[in-house]
Amino acid sequence: MYQKIGLKMATSYSPNFNFPKRVKNRIKFIIIHYTGMKKESAAIKRLQDPKSKVSSHYLIKNNGGIINLVPDVYEAWHAGVSSWRHFTSLNQNSIGIEITNPGHQYGYRNFSSKQILSLKKLLYFLIKKYRIKKNCVLGHSDISPRRKKDPGEKFPWEMLAKKKLVFWHNLNQKKIKKFRHDNLLTNIEEKVFLKNLHKIGYNDVKGFKFRKNMKYLTLAFQRRFRQSLVNGKVDKECLLISKNLV
């Protein structure tokens, strides 16, 4: 099957996964991560080290090569404390894809064209096989906004949306940019923004309160849907995007 869609894949299994096997219809999400380490070899080693207690189903290397680390039917350890809509602990219901990138801590950079080409093919295959909805292909920061930044603001969500692989707003970005930095006029607009985020899927994580931790939610939202300015401040542009997504 992989050959049919032009996927070249190596198998190098990690011991970090849970038994028993999952039924196919339990897989409802794909979660995208970056490795966040200086060296690719170190990231692969960590994903295979029993002491690290982390893994993913797939890793996409700098050269676009794909390593299958955990079979889809098992629960890999990639999401951690996480929540989306009424789902919690998303390891149970997701497939994790790591992409080599040093991340924000070690010199965050653009993902390579080879990586994205392989990702597109892999997403197409997984979405079709497991009938995953576009709005269920998420970033780690979407499901763990207080803890995570990956895959970050340089990840090409909009481009993938044009390929109908993920969800995105349909607003003209040049037109809505003029509302950037326009403060919300009332507390009611702020509440509308938070309610919209909740409707999109952003959720509580261990007592994670929307208002108290609004900056974390806003940063996660911006890294996903307003990538050209990630400042944690809710403005009119953010509100308009959230309304469109809802």
Side-chain angles (χ1 to χ4, degrees), residues 33-230:
H33 312 252
Y34 61 44
T35 53
M37 296 182 69
K38 291 180 180 179
K39 294 184 178 180
E40 182 173 84
S41 57
I44 295 170
K45 185 177 179 180
R46 184 169 185 264
L47 291 166
Q48 296 176 318
D49 183 358
K51 294 179 182 178
S52 73
K53 297 183 179 181
V54 295
S55 62
S56 65
H57 294 92
Y58 300 93
L59 179 134
I60 300 178
K61 299 167 67 178
N62 282 316
N63 64 6
I66 302 174
I67 302 175
N68 183 201
L69 294 160
V70 176
D72 297 352
V73 291
Y74 295 106
E75 181 183 323
W77 304 341
H78 62 97
V81 177
S82 51
S83 179
W84 188 259
R85 295 182 183 152
H86 62 280
F87 291 87
T88 56
S89 301
L90 266 73
N91 281 339
Q92 303 171 64
N93 304 100
S94 65
I95 289 174
I97 301 174
E98 290 271 0
I99 307 175
T100 298
N101 190 300
H104 292 81
Q105 190 173 354
Y106 299 113
Y108 186 43
R109 61 176 184 240
N110 289 326
F111 297 86
S112 74
S113 57
K114 290 181 179 179
Q115 286 178 317
I116 299 306
L117 178 60
S118 293
L119 177 64
K120 286 191 289 187
K121 292 177 180 179
L122 182 57
L123 285 176
Y124 176 81
F125 170 75
L126 294 172
I127 288 169
K128 188 174 182 180
K129 182 175 181 178
Y130 298 106
R131 298 182 180 180
I132 293 171
K133 297 177 181 178
K134 287 191 296 183
N135 58 359
C136 291
V137 181
L138 306 167
H140 200 182
S141 60
D142 291 321
I143 62 171
S144 301
R146 190 163 44 164
R147 300 186 304 115
K148 297 296 180 178
K149 298 178 180 179
D150 57 317
E153 60 275 9
K154 294 184 179 183
F155 185 78
W157 290 109
E158 185 181 10
M159 183 270 284
L160 293 174
K162 290 177 180 177
K163 300 294 181 181
K164 300 183 179 180
L165 294 169
V166 303
F167 77 123
W168 184 263
H169 61 83
N170 57 15
L171 297 170
N172 183 307
Q173 295 198 73
K174 290 183 180 179
K175 289 183 179 180
I176 62 171
K177 190 175 179 180
K178 64 183 179 182
F179 297 104
R180 188 172 295 183
H181 305 301
D182 287 359
N183 294 326
L184 300 185
L185 298 176
T186 64
N187 288 336
I188 294 175
E189 286 188 323
E190 185 181 279
K191 289 178 181 177
V192 169
F193 176 72
L194 291 173
K195 285 182 179 178
N196 288 344
L197 262 58
H198 184 68
K199 289 176 183 177
I200 291 165
Y202 292 95
N203 213 337
D204 290 358
V205 180
K206 281 193 172 182
F208 180 43
K209 303 300 182 184
F210 282 137
R211 183 168 294 281
K212 183 179 178 181
N213 294 286
M214 190 164 75
K215 185 174 181 178
Y216 292 107
L217 278 166
T218 304
L219 286 168
F221 175 83
Q222 290 171 340
R223 285 194 175 97
R224 178 65 190 267
F225 300 110
R226 210 274 297 277
Q227 297 177 302
S228 57
L229 178 62
V230 179

